[in-house]
Amino acid sequence: MEPKVGMYNIYIDPLSQPSRSVWLFLKAIGAPLNVTFISLMKDDQKKDDFKKVSPFSKVPVLVHRQKKAGGIEDVSLTEGPAIATYIANSHKCADHWYPAEPKKRARVDEYLSYQHTTVRKAGSGVVFKYVFEPDSTEEEKEAAIKNVHKELAAFEAYFLKDDFIAGKEVSIADIFALSEILMVLLSGQDFLAEYKKIKPWAIRTREALQPHFKEVFKGLFDVVNKETYPCLAATSPQSPDDTSFRDVVETVGDVAETRRRQERVSKESPKNRACSNHRDFLENSLVPRDVAETSPQPMETRVAARSPTSLQMASEFTLYYGPLSQPSRSILLLLKVIGASHKVHLVNLLEGGHMKPEFIKVNPFHTVPVLVHGDFTLTESKAIARYVLNTHKSDDHWYPSDPKKRARVDEYLGYEPGNTRKAGVDIVVNILFKPMQTGKPITEEKIKEVMGNLDKVLTGFEEYFLKDRPFIAGEEISIADIFAVSEIRQPEMSGIDYLSSHPKVSQWMDRVRVATQPHFDEVFQEFGDFTTGDWRARLNIP
C-alpha cells in the first residue's frame, strides 16, 4: 500500500463509480499510475493501514508522491471530482478533458457538482432496492425507478445539448456521468430505451475512451459473472440484446455460463443473503493489488493564471438568490468581496418562489442560486464560484493557481454535499421544520442521532480540513472557507448550541468573518434575522 514516487497512486474498488472514473481518466491520458485495489466488501476501508491514507474510510483516494527539493512531497485527496481536476491541472493532457475556456470548464464543473444528489443518488437508490435490499416492496422499487427516470430525463434535457456535456469533445464530466448511469443498469432494468440522446452519447463516450473503457469496466463484469456475488448475477443482463447495458458496455464474459450460474444459486443461500444486506459495493478479487501501470512521464502545470487578457468582462453577473439558502449566501458574499458588478433577483423559497413558471424558465431544476452572465446560465453553486473567479479579475487566493492548494479547495467543495451540508440540513429539518409541519416535537432519540452526526462531521472537518491551518487551503482564505462557513452556520436556525465543543471551528469562523467584512455581516443579516426571531415569528415558530 506504500505510494510510489513519481506516480499517481490511487486506491479504488472497481465497483465504485468514482473509482472507475478516476482510474479510467488516468489511463485515458497515459498518466503514470499505480493502483491499489480496496475491497469494500471485505471492509478494507476500515482497516488501520487504509485509514492512514483515507481518514474518511472511502474510495477513491489519490496520493501523488513527488520528489521535491529537500525531500518527498505527497498530495493526498479523497474526493473523486477533486482528484480528476487535480490530475488534469498537474499532468500534461489534452485541453478537452478539463477545458481552459471558462464556459466549457464551468459546464464540466456544473455536472460534477450536480451529480451528487441527482444522478448518483437516484442510481444508488435503485441498485440498492433491486440488488442489495431483496425485501424491498414493489412500491419501493417503483418509486426508485420513477426517481431514476426523473433524473435521466433532466440529465438528457439539460446536459446533452451537444455531442458531449461540454460541447463537441469528451471531458471528465462525461466519464463521471457514464460511470454513474451504467451502475444504474445493474438493477437489470432497461432505463435507456426511452431516451433518444443518452444511449448515443454513452456510445460516443465509450468509443472516445477505448481501449481503456473496456479494460476498466472489465472489473465490473468479472464481479457480475462470479457465482460468489449472486446478488449482482441475478440481476445482470440475460442476453446480448436484453438491455441497453450490454449494447453500451460490450460485456466481457460468457453470458450462457452466467445464466447457468444464476440457475444454481438459491435465493435463500447464505451467500445471497450476505450479499443482499451489504451496503458497500463489491470487490474485484481477480485483479492483483499494487499494479504499476505506466512509467513516469513529464509533468506540467495546467492551471492557467487569471489575467485581465483572459477574462470575459462582457456584462455584469445576475444572481438569483434566496437568503436562507447556504450556497446562495456563499455566492453573494463572493461577488461582494471581489467587487464584481452584479444585480440580485430575490427568490422567496418559503413562499415557493423557486416553483414559479418565470423562475423555472431560468432554472428547470428550480434551485438557487442561479447565475446568468450574458447568454450563459449556471445552476450549481460550486461551478458558479469557479466561473466567477475565472472570468473576473480577483486575488489568486480565492481559487489558487497552485495545483496543490486548488486541489484542497476542490476537495472540500466535493466533500461538502454529503457531510457539512447534509449534517446541517438534518439538524434544521428535524429540529425546526418537521415539528412545525407536523405539530409533534422531535424525540430525544432523534435529537441525539442528528446531533451526533453533526458532531462527527465537525470533528472530521477540524481534523482533516483545518488541522493547524488558519484556513482550509492554508494561510489565506478561499472559496472553500466561504462555502464551509455558510453551511456550518446553518444549524443556528434551530436555536441549538453545537459549537461549544468545537473551539477550533469557532475560531476559524471568526477568521472568515473578519477576512470578508464588511460584506459578511451584510450578507448574513437576513439569515441572522431568522435565527433571532423576525422570520420565525412570521412563520409562528417558537
Side-chain angles (χ1 to χ4, degrees), residues 293-452:
E293 303 210 34
T294 66
S295 57
Q297 296 181 1
M299 308 291 290
E300 73 173 20
T301 296
R302 295 188 61 252
V303 180
R306 294 190 299 274
S307 65
T309 57
S310 66
L311 302 179
Q312 296 183 348
M313 309 298 287
S315 61
E316 69 178 353
F317 299 105
T318 298
L319 177 67
Y320 291 80
Y321 158 89
L324 298 187
S325 154
Q326 307 93 298
S328 285
R329 295 194 299 269
S330 300
I331 297 301
L332 182 59
L333 181 56
L334 174 63
L335 290 169
K336 287 178 175 291
V337 295
I338 67 172
S341 176
H342 65 278
K343 60 183 178 182
V344 175
H345 286 279
L346 182 65
V347 181
N348 191 324
L349 301 177
L350 294 175
E351 295 179 1
H354 57 303
M355 300 302 293
K356 293 181 178 179
E358 58 268 29
F359 180 70
I360 293 177
K361 289 180 182 178
V362 178
N363 180 13
F365 303 126
H366 48 78
T367 57
V368 289
V370 178
L371 185 83
V372 178
H373 190 212
D375 61 354
F376 189 61
T377 300
L378 281 172
T379 63
E380 287 289 329
S381 59
K382 278 74 172 179
I384 290 171
R386 294 180 180 104
Y387 175 77
V388 166
L389 293 171
N390 284 332
T391 58
H392 182 83
K393 185 176 181 180
S394 58
D395 292 335
D396 183 76
H397 63 81
W398 292 112
Y399 193 42
S401 55
D402 172 73
K404 185 177 180 180
K405 291 181 179 179
R406 177 170 288 199
R408 193 64 64 209
V409 171
D410 288 336
E411 183 179 34
Y412 173 77
L413 297 181
Y415 165 88
E416 182 182 274
N419 294 279
T420 45
R421 182 170 179 80
K422 184 178 186 302
V425 168
D426 282 350
I427 291 285
V428 174
V429 168
N430 285 283
I431 294 180
L432 179 63
F433 286 111
K434 278 190 177 179
M436 179 181 71
Q437 292 167 351
T438 64
K440 298 178 181 179
I442 185 173
T443 65
E444 289 298 323
E445 291 80 7
K446 193 65 178 178
I447 291 177
K448 185 177 179 180
E449 176 190 335
V450 296
M451 289 294 292

Side-chain angles (χ1 to χ4, degrees), residues 114-321:
Y114 167 86
Q115 69 169 359
H116 290 287
T117 57
T118 54
V119 177
R120 181 170 178 76
K121 184 178 180 181
S124 297
V126 79
V127 171
F128 283 139
K129 293 302 177 189
Y130 274 87
V131 179
F132 297 107
E133 298 173 352
D135 296 329
S136 297
T137 65
E138 290 304 313
E139 290 77 10
E140 288 174 331
K141 291 179 180 179
E142 184 177 342
I145 289 174
K146 184 177 180 180
N147 196 32
V148 168
H149 280 301
K150 173 189 171 185
E151 298 303 343
L152 290 178
F155 170 77
E156 181 176 77
Y158 188 82
F159 287 102
L160 295 186
K161 296 176 181 177
D162 212 326
D163 290 348
F164 298 98
I165 290 174
K168 296 295 182 186
E169 295 182 282
V170 69
S171 71
I172 55 176
D174 299 284
I175 295 178
F176 276 85
L178 187 58
S179 191
E180 294 292 346
I181 288 173
L182 289 184
M183 196 68 178
V184 168
L185 299 176
L186 277 182
S187 65
Q189 308 300 304
D190 182 4
F191 286 101
L192 302 190
E194 65 187 75
Y195 299 101
K196 295 181 180 179
K197 294 182 180 180
I198 292 180
K199 186 175 175 182
W201 157 80
I203 293 173
R204 284 194 297 271
T205 302
R206 178 198 68 192
E207 292 307 305
L209 295 165
Q210 294 290 31
H212 311 293
F213 179 90
K214 193 170 185 178
E215 178 185 351
V216 167
F217 274 79
K218 181 179 184 295
L220 180 65
F221 304 115
D222 284 343
V223 172
V224 171
N225 288 337
K226 282 178 66 65
E227 184 178 314
T228 313
Y229 308 108
C231 63
L232 282 178
T235 55
S236 63
Q238 300 294 302
S239 65
D241 58 356
D242 204 25
T243 70
S244 309
F245 189 71
R246 200 168 292 281
D247 293 339
V248 173
V249 180
E250 298 180 332
T251 295
V252 218
D254 185 342
V255 177
E257 177 60 18
T258 300
R259 295 181 68 180
R260 288 192 292 273
R261 285 171 175 164
Q262 292 168 347
E263 293 169 0
R264 294 197 301 266
V265 175
S266 166
K267 291 183 179 180
E268 299 303 321
S269 70
K271 287 181 181 177
N272 198 38
R273 286 195 298 272
C275 190
S276 302
N277 294 328
H278 210 287
R279 300 293 298 192
D280 287 322
F281 286 118
L282 312 178
E283 68 164 332
N284 180 351
S285 60
L286 303 180
V287 187
R289 292 172 176 267
D290 297 310
V291 182
E293 303 210 34
T294 66
S295 57
Q297 296 181 1
M299 308 291 290
E300 73 173 20
T301 296
R302 295 188 61 252
V303 180
R306 294 190 299 274
S307 65
T309 57
S310 66
L311 302 179
Q312 296 183 348
M313 309 298 287
S315 61
E316 69 178 353
F317 299 105
T318 298
L319 177 67
Y320 291 80
Y321 158 89

